[in-house]
Amino acid sequence: MKTFSILAALCAVTAFIPIANAADDANGIWGIVSTSDSIYSAGEKTRWRYGFDAQWRHSERGSGSDQYVLRPSVGYDLKPGMSVWAGYGYFLSDPNGGSDRYEHRWWQQLSWSAASWDWGSLSLRTRLEERILENASDTGLRLRQQVQLAVPFANQNVTLFTSIEHYTNLRDTDWGARSGFDQLRTYAGVRMPMTEKLSLEAGYMNQYINRNGGDVVNHLAMLHLRVKL
């Protein structure tokens, strides 16, 4: 009962506000393929890690749009359960009937395991992003804080995940970013192994975005294929 009480509280707190305040809702789907593991030297595992993910994001908002993401990264284990990361993201947004937008995003991250119980674990992730849009002068700064709860079900060989991620813009930009609250993402999904090196995660994300002229909510189906090389 404790497990499901915590899961319900995490989802309810974040999902209620977007539903209550949003003026515009739309559906979408995100497809993700990712890999991440330790880096080995002379057959021995080092503290260094690598990561990479490729994404396709489709939204039905307006006449529809697609976004493509490539994001390599490198990490270092400070100690068991705590690591620092740095990476780069390339974002191509392709709205139907509109102009393409290209974004270069550098980011730094601290990840750590905050708590662990017999029934699950709590992890935290803090990320700082430097956002550069082509044909714009200002560099945007954004802080992201994620809290994630994982609950494994050994008998079913499935892990349940739920998370909250809060986004804050740290400065105004000439391309439209406003200082303060930017968006809130609430997620719930399940992950199951397919083979020894493949696992599939499927879930739902509620993405609440603070925008000029009216806030919006995206209801997103999430499919994430994790590959171990």
Side-chain angles (χ1 to χ4, degrees):
M1 291 298 294
K2 181 187 294 185
T3 301
F4 291 101
S5 297
I6 294 175
L7 291 173
L10 285 171
C11 292
V13 167
T14 56
F16 176 78
I17 295 175
I19 293 173
N21 294 297
D24 183 15
D25 286 49
N27 298 320
I29 183 170
W30 288 12
I32 306 169
V33 177
S34 71
T35 183
S36 180
D37 204 350
S38 299
I39 295 175
Y40 287 77
S41 176
E44 297 292 330
K45 184 168 69 174
T46 70
R47 289 191 174 189
W48 291 97
R49 303 180 63 84
Y50 70 88
F52 178 81
D53 67 89
Q55 301 187 22
W56 166 69
R57 303 174 177 179
H58 176 73
S59 173
E60 296 179 352
R61 186 173 305 283
S63 59
S65 64
D66 293 288
Q67 186 177 64
Y68 307 93
V69 181
L70 295 175
R71 191 158 44 193
S73 60
V74 62
Y76 183 79
D77 292 333
L78 297 175
K79 62 180 183 179
M82 180 175 290
S83 60
V84 290
W85 289 81
Y88 163 77
Y90 176 76
F91 291 72
L92 166 59
S93 300
D94 179 22
N96 292 338
S99 300
D100 292 349
R101 190 175 86 161
Y102 303 90
E103 179 181 342
H104 305 277
R105 189 180 301 177
W106 301 93
W107 53 272
Q108 304 79 43
Q109 175 179 300
L110 175 64
S111 301
W112 70 100
S113 300
S116 181
W117 306 277
D118 292 340
W119 50 267
S121 60
L122 186 71
S123 59
L124 304 177
R125 186 184 77 185
T126 303
R127 179 180 292 183
L128 178 66
E129 298 177 327
E130 298 83 46
R131 305 178 63 194
I132 302 170
L133 271 65
E134 294 187 5
N135 302 317
S137 299
D138 293 340
T139 298
L141 294 177
R142 187 165 67 179
L143 183 65
R144 300 169 50 171
Q145 180 61 59
Q146 183 191 77
V147 180
Q148 178 177 270
L149 181 66
V151 181
F153 294 90
N155 293 338
Q156 290 79 26
N157 207 20
V158 167
T159 301
L160 174 65
F161 291 90
T162 185
S163 66
I164 304 165
E165 188 166 20
H166 186 280
Y167 291 59
T168 303
N169 288 320
L170 302 181
R171 60 178 301 190
D172 297 335
T173 67
D174 59 356
W175 44 266
R178 296 179 298 164
S179 297
F181 171 65
D182 178 57
Q183 64 175 275
L184 187 71
R185 294 182 181 179
T186 308
Y187 172 77
V190 293
R191 182 186 303 169
M192 61 193 75
M194 300 174 63
T195 69
E196 185 177 335
K197 294 190 175 183
L198 292 177
S199 64
L200 179 65
E201 186 173 326
Y204 163 78
M205 180 186 290
N206 182 291
Q207 182 187 31
Y208 172 62
I209 305 175
N210 179 23
R211 285 186 177 172
N212 287 322
D215 298 342
V216 301
V217 166
N218 293 319
H219 303 281
L220 304 170
M222 308 288 292
L223 289 174
H224 188 169
L225 181 65
R226 298 176 182 269
V227 182
K228 186 174 181 180
L229 300 178

